[in-house]
Amino acid sequence: MSTYVIRRLLLMIPTLLGITLVVFTVMAASPGGISAQSLIEGQNLEPQAKKALEDYYNQLYGLDSPPAIQYLRWLNNASPAGFTFDKENNISSFSLWKGSDLGTSFRYGRPVLELIEERVPITLLLNLLSLPLIYTLAIAIGVRAATERGKLFDMGSSALLLGLWSVPVMLAGVLLIGFFASNQYWHWFPTAGLNTRAALDMPFLPHWGSLKEVALLLGAGVAGAAAGVGLAQAPRLLRIGLLAGLGMGLGFWMGTGLPHPHVGMNLSLGALLALGIGGLGYTDYAGLRLGLLGLLGAGLGLAVGAQWGSGEFTRGFLLDRLWHLVLPVLCLTYSGFAFLSKLTRTAVLENLMADYARTARAKGLAENMVLWKHVFRNSLLPLITVSATLLPGLLAGSVIVESIFSIEGMGKLAVEAVQTRDRELVLSITLISGLLTLAGYLIADLCYAIADPRVSYD
Amino acid sequence: MSSPASSLPPPRQSQNYTAQVARQVLAQWGARLGLAWIGLLGLLAVFAPFLASSHPLLLSQDGQLDSPLLRYLTPADASLLALFCAGLILVMARASLRTWLVGLGSVLILAGVTSAALIRPPVLAIYEQYRQQEAAGGYDWVIYAPIPYSPKDYQRDRGETGLQPPLTSPQADHWFGTEENGADVLSRMVHASRIALGIGFVATSIALLLGILIGGLMGYFSGVMDIIGMRLVEIFEAVPTLFLLLTFVAFFERSLYLLMVIIGLTSWSGYARYVRAEFLRLRQQDFVQAALACGLPLRSILFRHMLPNGIGPILVAASFGVASAILAEAVLSFLGLGLVDDPSWGQMLNQAVKSSTFNWWMAAFPGGAIFLTVFAYNLIGEALRDALDPYLKKS
């Protein structure tokens, strides 16, 4: 095993070199290329100042030397082992641990590493919030579709998921912003950024003016949840009817919240929500139904409680941040889980038909036990291994989401870097995302070997 | 069927199989709907200038007939029309796959070269002249295209500037509204279907060609070739495709053909992986060993014997690949890195939230078109996979 890992790690080196070489070649071969002249183009400077700036850039980045030398120079700086230079740019010594320097950004004039360290946590936050959501939804839907193969739920969910998968992230983002964040429709969420400026001065947790309000809010939430759970256990027709009525009411309420109320809009919104919320009552999975309706009731209860309260309430940094994250995370989540639930479905199906599942059934185990104790555990294998390869993909996916919602993360940094021809930044981002992807692949392969004793790499 | 198989002439296995797969794909409603939508888009793309143009289709001025539309037809329009006619003839003649490829390829080259040499439309198009002439009564009669706006006809003379929602004012006749420069959205969308379809097909073909070539060589020769090839595949896989695309596009000029090549160049690695795996498996099989023993040339072994046996899963991947190529173009245009002046769905979608207000029609119509096209290709891919992979269908 360890020889395998070492071989893989060594094979990473040529790949990483190749990645940077490809990107560097693209940049060097482009018309205009990157030269000191192209960097200060468009700046209104005196000729002398221009010349001085050009010389400065040439000296700093070596832009006047041929591209091959420039690449080698960058490589030497970036790799942890290499030559060190003295003041006159002559090689002074060779060091194995000189530390890597990713250079200075053209545009920001700051060390690239510093910029990336600033942006990575934001992108990670987005992705780490959406990953658990993706997995829960995907597993819930995938397992259910597999156990009901060929029935309505399976067909419906697979068609719906394929449709969801085909919705471009930018369309979803634009629609979400347009309807739920712009003040032409429901101004529920902020349009951009990660927090409001005021939130920076707020305490971390939300807090209320008086204890009475907290009690009221908690009471309303609990009462709502209890009502939801109670409703979930009512007979089917009753609960569907009640929920549809609730949806209708909500729709009307949403319609009246619009700046330009319109009766037709009210009616269609009412019908839409009645259909959606009534559909929740249709679910025959008792656990799922209890959970969904409980959540819905709690949410409604909290909303009503907040309305009744006197409003002496500070949002706090945490709640503000979460409030800003709802729409971006939604965008990142929906596109990921369609693929994953399909994967879950095939894995569970394969295992449901396996011999060991038949054996378990034959010895008299209940179908639920077979599903969750035996089949599900084995079906998790491909899901675990996929997660390692999912992370780099999510990093790329946040390019669009971050640009739509103006979030200052890695994705936005990448777009800005290529738009402003910031060579050091582009090279570093490629290097880092390449490293992440390769590490992801390696971890996926190792996870596979650890989780499945049949796989061995020796 | 009770007719004895021996009395039939030996059927050509590949054709039979193709027909069978096609029948199974067409049996699914999703695939039918998807194909219908793609077909509609194809028609829109071919006949775009006749459907949406500010140039009058036909007019009579002082008793003389004139057709500005035909005068302004570009070489690209003419080549597309020629291709369409060739396709129709081939469908009528029930041609084989080989005839299709050869026929369409030769027509494309021939029509492209002759139209580029012969057709020289006027460089400058001033659309106001028609309206002014018409208002001044200069024409006896005029027939316009169904959508009487060109995609780049930035409505300077109608008092409409910038974004306008569809059909709000009583005399408005922009069915899908106008975009930020006052051009008709529907007209731009019709013309943009060319870009979407073209990018999808050409980029995926380039990626397929590269993938099959590299993957096939890797799988067949293995050893050193395989190790080098896999590094190449890894290089292109390790950088997120979108990021590589962004870099390519940001550093080169914006041209449709370059965009196709770039999207193709950045997405071949998946196909190469598939083909390699297929070829590694096929290489061990008896028929390949037999072909080798017969001393057939390498070209024949690779492309006549191995490829047809391994092409199935690759076609499924290609169908999904067309969808992602279209998406890639839309994303680039959305981020403002696509074509500059040419209409594109992604670029129109970009205008939906650009000016602090939400212009719903700019999101709904172009966004809906992107969604439907991607969905159509995904549906076809899904149906194709079900038809090609009996194991999955069973499950």
Side-chain angles (χ1 to χ4, degrees), chain A residues 66-371:
Chain A
I69 304 286
Q70 289 185 41
Y71 177 68
L72 288 179
R73 189 185 144 117
W74 178 85
L75 195 65
N76 183 47
N77 282 339
S79 78
F83 300 104
T84 50
F85 294 89
D86 59 10
K87 289 224 171 60
E88 276 89 47
N89 260 344
N90 296 316
I91 296 170
S92 63
S93 64
F94 181 85
S95 154
L96 271 179
W97 306 107
K98 70 173 180 56
S100 72
D101 173 22
L102 289 176
T104 317
S105 153
F106 290 159
R107 181 174 173 234
Y108 297 92
R110 291 170 55 197
V112 168
L113 206 61
E114 205 180 293
L115 278 171
I116 290 177
E117 268 171 10
E118 231 167 65
R119 305 293 191 99
V120 162
I122 296 171
T123 303
L124 271 185
L125 174 73
L126 276 180
N127 289 317
L128 290 183
L129 275 178
S130 53
L131 264 185
L133 273 175
I134 290 178
Y135 269 84
T136 356
L137 281 171
I139 287 173
I141 293 179
V143 170
R144 184 120 172 84
T147 47
E148 295 208 353
R149 166 160 59 102
K151 287 192 197 157
L152 186 70
F153 183 85
D154 186 23
M155 313 265 271
S157 71
S158 69
L160 209 69
L161 285 180
L162 197 68
L164 213 54
W165 192 31
S166 312
V167 177
V169 178
M170 50 206 173
L171 176 61
V174 162
L175 287 179
L176 283 178
I177 277 205
F179 282 111
F180 295 111
S182 85
N183 48 14
Q184 279 158 287
Y185 294 92
W186 301 280
H187 188 45
W188 288 351
F189 297 99
T191 42
L194 272 181
N195 44 252
T196 46
R197 190 150 298 175
L200 290 175
D201 304 327
M202 289 180 193
F204 186 70
L205 289 174
H207 65 105
W208 282 264
S210 65
L211 210 60
K212 212 177 76 189
E213 299 233 345
V214 183
L216 177 73
L217 207 60
L218 269 182
V222 170
V229 169
L231 193 59
Q233 282 156 335
R236 181 182 251 185
L237 264 182
L238 180 67
R239 85 181 171 236
I240 291 180
L242 280 175
L243 281 172
L246 185 70
M248 187 93 83
L250 268 180
F252 271 109
W253 173 75
M254 271 176 80
T256 52
L258 280 177
H260 312 288
H262 189 265
V263 182
M265 187 75 156
N266 283 4
L267 282 178
S268 45
L269 270 175
L272 201 70
L273 279 185
L275 213 71
I277 298 186
L280 287 184
Y282 183 80
T283 327
D284 5 84
Y285 231 9
L288 188 67
R289 199 173 61 225
L290 280 180
L292 279 176
L293 290 186
L295 271 180
L296 182 75
L300 281 179
L302 281 177
V304 170
Q307 287 282 319
W308 274 346
S310 56
E312 281 173 39
F313 151 70
T314 316
R315 233 178 5 251
F317 185 75
L318 179 70
L319 213 59
D320 188 69
R321 180 51 66 89
L322 285 180
W323 182 49
H324 278 80
L325 281 175
V326 172
L327 295 184
V329 166
L330 203 63
C331 269
L332 274 178
T333 307
Y334 89 89
S335 53
F337 94 92
F339 164 71
L340 215 59
S341 57
K342 217 164 196 66
L343 199 73
T344 319
R345 179 180 172 270
T346 22
V348 170
L349 260 186
E350 223 165 86
N351 282 303
L352 270 177
M353 292 190 296
D355 288 340
Y356 74 85
R358 213 171 43 197
T359 314
R361 264 185 228 120
K363 80 183 181 192
L365 225 54
E367 189 60 39
N368 253 338
M369 286 289 272
V370 177
L371 180 65

